[in-house]
Amino acid sequence: MDSVIRVCEEKGPYMNIGPQIILAHARPLPSTREASITLLQTETAIPLINEKHPVRLWFFLATPDDISHVAILEKLATVLMDPDQMQNLLAAASVEELAAIFAAN
């Protein structure tokens, strides 16, 4: 997380894609074999660069190329644009609950 915060301090909070949400990503890497996403949920908000950008849902995207991650982003957008699903994500108390939210979409 420190490197993500450092990049946002240098370039601005462009990874902050919504209230309490960050989508951390980098350029495609040849060492990445397939597109994947990881979620870190924190109990309390962590200021990304200041108190105006608190984050509780940290999504980390890895991709081997410029297109293989599109389906992942479409599914993520479907969940994040639904206010009820967002509340469910923020309220989830286990990995299983988080996984169930994405499996249902």
Side-chain angles (χ1 to χ4, degrees):
M1 281 194 312
D2 290 339
S3 63
V4 170
I5 292 170
R6 189 170 38 258
V7 167
C8 288
E9 287 173 340
E10 293 170 6
K11 298 185 179 197
Y14 71 95
M15 292 184 198
N16 192 187
I17 62 169
Q20 302 188 61
I21 309 164
I22 187 168
L23 177 59
H25 57 284
R27 306 237 1 112
L29 296 172
S31 60
T32 303
R33 294 183 184 224
E34 66 182 81
S36 61
I37 194 163
T38 300
L39 169 59
L40 169 67
Q41 177 201 40
T42 58
E43 288 184 20
T44 58
I46 298 170
L48 180 59
I49 57 172
N50 57 41
E51 297 299 323
K52 292 181 183 178
H53 300 281
V55 179
R56 287 199 49 226
L57 299 173
W58 300 74
F59 292 92
F60 297 89
L61 178 67
T63 184
D65 55 47
D66 291 335
I67 58 169
S68 61
H69 61 289
V70 172
I72 292 172
L73 292 179
E74 287 173 348
K75 187 168 195 170
L76 180 60
T78 299
V79 173
L80 296 181
M81 290 176 19
D82 181 326
D84 293 332
Q85 295 291 21
M86 271 301 303
Q87 288 306 313
N88 292 340
L89 284 174
L90 291 168
S94 69
V95 171
E96 293 77 18
E97 287 179 35
L98 290 167
I101 293 165
F102 287 99
N105 289 287

